């Protein structure tokens, strides 16, 4: 990762949480040395990015900071419109509605001459299989993922047996027209993939799981890579 990309990534990580993040956690997430992380933080502060904190105490990005607006090319706009159309066709109702709203906002925010790129794009997402039906609120699941809340699942496994699991939700994965909840399962003490249409009931528990979600996702990716090699 180039330094400019790494500096941008640091800002994005700090924007995603209001709690102080230690230099060690940032370095681990970016897979760099702590010395490199400290140099990057010094560079950001020298550029007057409103970061408070110091080594050993944790860093916080001041409220109200925002990145400069982006100027999008025609190809970038079409990529955004295609992605939004795919989400509108594949995701749960709340996220589908948000995707359609995104296209509407894009068409209003961009120059008039670029609106046909969004409203009459040259690419289109087409699905032939039925939409996945789930018994829980997808917005509730996404909120739990973002906030690191533990979940209690009532789940129908491949053998049609019903099990109850306490899991740490990490992400929702899309495979063809199936959706999977990728999570750390306390019962199995390992990463597990739960088909969302087999979840009979989903409860958000009060406690949060330990550690950072991004670190757990990286561990999951390594575990998946190891299984492929095996």
């Amino acid at each position: 990762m180039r330094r400019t990309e790494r500096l941008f990534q640091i800002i994005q990580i700090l924007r995603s949480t209001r709690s102080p993040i230690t230099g060690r956690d940032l370095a681990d997430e970016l897979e760099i040395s702590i010395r490199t992380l400290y140099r990057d933080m010094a560079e950001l502060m020298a550029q007057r990015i409103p970061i408070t904190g110091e080594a050993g105490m944790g860093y916080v990005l001041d409220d109200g900071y925002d990145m400069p607006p982006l100027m999008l090319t025609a190809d970038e706009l079409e990529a955004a419109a295609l992605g939004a159309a795919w989400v509108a066709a594949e995701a749960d109702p709340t996220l589908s509605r948000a995707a359609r709203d995104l296209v509407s906002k894009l068409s209003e925010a961009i120059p008039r001459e670029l609106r046909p790129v969004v409203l009459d794009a040259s690419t289109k997402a087409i699905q032939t299989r039925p939409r996945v039906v789930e018994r829980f609120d997808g917005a509730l699941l996404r909120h739990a993922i973002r906030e690191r809340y533990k979940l209690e699942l009532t789940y129908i496994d491949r053998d049609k047996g019903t099990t109850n699991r306490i899991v740490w939700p990490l992400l929702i994965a899309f495979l063809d027209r199936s959706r999977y909840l990728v999570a750390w399962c306390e019962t199995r003490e390992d990463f597990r993939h739960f088909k969302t249409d087999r979840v009979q009931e989903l409860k958000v528990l009060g406690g949060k799981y330990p550690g950072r979600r991004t670190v757990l996702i990286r561990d999951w990716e390594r575990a998946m890579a190891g299984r492929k090699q095996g």
Side-chain angles (χ1 to χ4, degrees):
M1 183 185 298
R2 292 178 299 179
R3 192 181 191 199
T4 53
E5 296 173 344
R6 196 169 65 242
L7 295 177
F8 176 78
Q9 186 64 25
I10 290 172
I11 295 173
Q12 293 297 86
I13 294 170
L14 293 175
R15 289 179 71 190
S16 68
T17 180
R18 296 181 180 179
S19 302
I21 304 177
T22 67
R24 172 53 62 192
D25 284 343
L26 281 168
D28 288 345
E29 188 162 338
L30 295 166
E31 298 183 328
I32 59 176
S33 70
I34 191 68
R35 181 177 296 180
T36 298
L37 186 279
Y38 288 154
R39 285 201 299 264
D40 288 347
M41 299 306 294
E43 174 64 23
L44 288 171
M45 291 178 179
Q47 294 180 16
R48 297 186 178 181
I49 304 299
I51 298 172
T52 57
E54 58 186 18
M57 300 298 294
Y59 298 95
V60 176
L61 184 65
D62 290 355
D63 290 340
Y65 175 76
D66 203 1
M67 301 289 286
L70 296 176
M71 296 300 294
L72 300 179
T73 66
D75 284 344
E76 290 168 341
L77 283 170
E78 187 155 356
L82 177 61
W86 187 90
V87 170
E90 292 292 342
D92 62 82
T94 302
L95 202 58
S96 295
R97 185 166 56 252
R100 291 190 291 270
D101 290 345
L102 172 62
V103 172
S104 177
K105 290 179 180 178
L106 275 176
S107 64
E108 292 296 325
I110 61 178
R112 184 179 298 274
E113 62 271 18
L114 288 176
R115 288 178 185 173
V117 175
V118 174
L119 300 178
D120 189 23
S122 62
T123 54
K124 185 176 180 63
I126 297 176
Q127 301 296 343
T128 58
R129 299 179 183 178
R131 181 189 291 268
V132 174
V133 177
E134 296 165 338
R135 296 175 175 83
F136 58 86
D137 184 351
L140 188 67
L141 172 57
R142 293 195 306 277
H143 175 73
I145 290 173
R146 288 192 293 265
E147 298 299 324
R148 299 178 23 250
Y149 287 123
K150 292 184 181 183
L151 299 176
E152 181 179 355
L153 303 182
T154 302
Y155 187 73
I156 304 295
D157 61 24
R158 287 180 295 181
D159 299 324
K160 308 300 182 183
T162 301
T163 63
N164 291 305
R165 309 285 187 91
I166 304 297
V167 303
W168 305 356
L170 302 179
L171 57 89
I172 301 169
F174 291 77
L175 179 62
D176 295 328
R177 295 225 70 179
S178 297
R179 290 199 286 270
Y180 292 84
L181 168 61
V182 176
W184 173 266
C185 178
E186 289 190 356
T187 305
R188 298 291 186 261
E189 296 185 344
D190 198 358
F191 294 107
R192 287 291 186 268
H193 307 145
F194 301 94
K195 287 193 70 174
T196 57
D197 58 355
R198 292 182 183 170
V199 175
Q200 303 301 296
E201 188 176 5
L202 181 151
K203 293 181 181 179
V204 179
L205 303 180
K208 294 189 177 185
Y209 61 79
R212 288 182 57 77
R213 173 173 164 257
T214 49
V215 174
L216 286 167
I217 290 175
R218 187 166 66 241
D219 291 343
W220 166 72
E221 290 172 341
R222 287 171 176 166
M224 293 303 100
R227 291 178 187 178
K228 289 180 181 179
Q229 292 176 359

